[in-house]
Amino acid sequence: MNRKQLLGLAATAMLVSAALPTWAADPVRIGYTMARTGLFAAAAPSQEQAYELWRDQVNADGGLDVVGERRPVEFVSYDDESDPAKSAQLYERLITSDDVDLLLAPWGTPHHLNVAGIAEQYGFPIVGNTAASVAIREVQPGNIWFPTSAIPDQIGPELAAMLGYSGITSVSIISNVLPFSQENLSFLTPALKKAGIEIRMSENYPPDISDMTPLIIQIKAADADAVLALTYPADAFLYMGQARELGVEADLQFLLIGPTIDAFGKAFGPAADGVVTLAHWSPEQSAWPRAKPFFDAYVAKFGQEPDYLDSALAYMSVEILQQAVATAGLDKDALRAAITDGTFDTINGEVRFDGVQNSVTPTAFVQRQGDKVQLVWPKDIATAPLQ
Amino acid sequence: MIESLLSAQLLFAAAVLGALYALIGLGLNLVYGTMRLLNIAHGDILMVGAFAAFWWFTLTSLSPLIALPLIAVFGAAIGLALYFALFRHQLAQELDASVIEGRSLLLFFGVSVVTQNVTALLFTATPRAYRHLDEVYRFGDLAMTGNRIAALVCAVTLLIAMLIFLKKTLFGIEIRALIQHREAARIVGVNVEKVQMVAISIGFAVTAIAGTLLSMTEQTNPFMGFRFTIAAFVVIIIGGLGNIRGGIIAGFLLAVMEIYAVTIFSAEARSILIYGGFVLAIILRPQGLLGVRKRA
Amino acid sequence: MRDTFTLITVILAGVGLLYFGSIGAGPYWQIVALNLAMWIALTQSWSLFSGLTGYISLGHAVAYGLGAYMMATLFSEWPIWVLVPMGGLVAGVFALIVALPVLRVRGPYFVILSFGLSELVKYVLLVVETALGQSSRLLFGAPGTQTLLVWMLALAAVATLLRHVIGLSRFGQGLVAIREDETAAETIGIPITRYKVLAFALSTVIPGMVGAVMALRSTYFEVLQVFSPTISFTIVTIAIIGGAGDARGPVLGAVFLIALSETLRGVSPQLYLVFLGLSLIFFVRFVPNGLTGLLRGGGR
């Protein structure tokens, strides 16, 4: 080709390369597994989407800060088929064969418990998130941390306290037979008795129940001040619809899991007003400046609201990791020390760990008020009064 | 407790649940009765109907009830597609019923897995829901949510329409003939191929409609179908495989059991009562509580 | 007899290859080998009953679940080498108890019944657990993957051998006769009830032990997970793809499944399942005798 063409080519090449984002640095590879198929497939997206949002935000911002050096974030992820054992095995693979720099947590308590063993075995720190069982207290501190405060042995007494404060003197309880519901029931029942709150009825139901009319008729007949439905998402929908239909009147209705899901608000709208549930985060908390932006970004990217419990926890865990990496880099020992001793600024306010547990965030409850979800208990982080 | 047993509320609950169970049983029975196909993907067709309703409502803000004919056609199209792709050839060979049953079970299982996961790929596994017709109407002690009334009315209308269709129309009679005795039907001149196509179209259409009705009151996600597949099989076994009228009665019977037995015993025993009853029913009277011992 | 000898050699070679190969290749591959061995053990046992008699069981997860439950509840009381066989024993005894009523039923009724039975046991155990005040159980200090791999390879080897030996035996021929024509079989003097019950019970023992071993993989046990219909359905899928005619089928089918899984899961798990579903459809439609049928030249 002639000289002119050569010059033109060179100019084009320079222009093009100037226009491309130049990643001079190696990407930071972060691994995790997620329940993309199987029993938990409907619940896991709320967590994975929070991860993805974070990754996109970090990369758009110039990359992850690794002690001053900016590097792009790349995920290496697998489907764990909702099988906790498989999850542990895949984490082993991520560590030994895929050689990832960092790890994020999978979805769900059983997965966390299994992965904790791997973290311990390889000395690889992982910030957990969506695990909520007293079993996590039995986990060896060292390489895994649980930012959640929604632990059954705290939920029981806190709920009893909140009920007592609201002047509730009697409750009706219905509970799914699945583990999280039953674990909560086992702590709730003595806590209520201790607070002097009368338990007018307490019934269990199987997870595949299709119609709660008989149960709800019982609830109406018991006519307690409050109704505590220890539900999983599917039965939460069923309960809400049927309780409304039958006109359950209570000063307070509490659902264990369900109301924080985007689809719940969409299904019931104003009918879900006043429902109280588990969560320790709300975008309405102005003391946490990062909360609302996260909420808005999530809605903008996914067209749905984040899950007030799972999505928030997932995002918190990556924020913690991000801040730890900024000061400690990628060295496992340094990271471990940074997470153990550090104080972190998250969308849920300040987080600090005492052993495996979050020592700052209290066990809290939220309530749907209008089309917002407000923190209502405990008083010092409440964004709105309990109604 | 007697008062609550006699309450109109329980009756309404049993009616709504029964109508839905009867409807999903009907879809399955039509397909099994005429062709001996065990449709394990039945609940997934329901799921497809539910998703169609969700997207219809989300995109047009119009009632999914308006879209019912459209969704029915969509369901029928899926049925026909599967018929041509998978079953036409085998059915034409007039193989032994047990072979067809066995194969169809596995084929439909493949269809089920594919349907669920294609849906998950397209829409993600996040649950969806929408609000429609959710005003509650009260008459004395009885309370009924609009969408449940609509579901009951639509389901019962459809069931009655189907019964009339099967009794009075030519295709309906031919379907019943095919169900009763395949060989005899052929001998008297029934166009087996055509009738099979009609049967599978209607069966799948009815199922998709049931999915639409359910989507108004339940959350929708790609893996919701299996529960209904199980329910549908329980219904048609109790009613007698291929026994249309038996299936409808069985649907209501199952709902009655679910509501009233739970009231008498406890909610916890619900699944044990249902599956226990189901297992006993198959062992003691495999032709169904209402069936007659059929010729193979 | 030469056939059996060859099989034993092949089994030993396969086991050796899997064991030493996976140890060399790394912990992840040990897990792959574990899963492969598990599916082989489960499907061979299933095939012993369903493959030979034609009574398709869609409820074999019940045997797996019972064995797993046994291990989960008694883990802290008794040693593993007692609990694993006990898992098999419990499953087998359960099968014997339900066999007489359950096996009276034939064809599609049996298929649906076997499934319903598995679900019934699941819900009964859920209530039992609640009554015991338990919801999930933790198993700390379980042995590592390597030990579990040894157990599972042993179970896979025994299951394969058992399937082969029974297939050749008079008992096995009797079962095949039952599949061909049950009434005729009875007429010529085959004790059909005794045979069916025996085959059914035998087919649940190893799955019970498999369940017990697999419960040890996880620190966390929950009833809902081990009585999963997915397990039952996957067994049948493997049997169809591999072919249920003899002992080679489940091995080929399991290898196919694992190969497909390893290749596609990383790309997209839903895509893997779509392919698996399509494979099943393809095989049932065009290759009903499975991969072994292909090997044999399509005929039986």
Side-chain angles (χ1 to χ4, degrees), chain C residues 94-133:
Chain C
F94 173 78
L96 277 175
I97 296 174
V98 300
L100 279 176
V102 160
L103 292 169
R104 279 176 41 187
V105 163
R106 302 184 191 177
Y109 299 101
F110 177 78
V111 178
I112 299 170
L113 174 61
S114 65
F115 177 77
L117 196 63
S118 183
E119 293 290 286
L120 178 63
V121 171
K122 174 169 82 182
Y123 286 105
V124 167
L125 283 180
L126 267 175
V127 170
V128 166
E129 285 280 270
T130 315
L132 288 175

Side-chain angles (χ1 to χ4, degrees), chain B residues 5-18:
Chain B
L5 273 180
L6 292 175
S7 84
Q9 194 65 56
L10 283 182
L11 199 62
F12 176 65
V16 176
L17 196 60

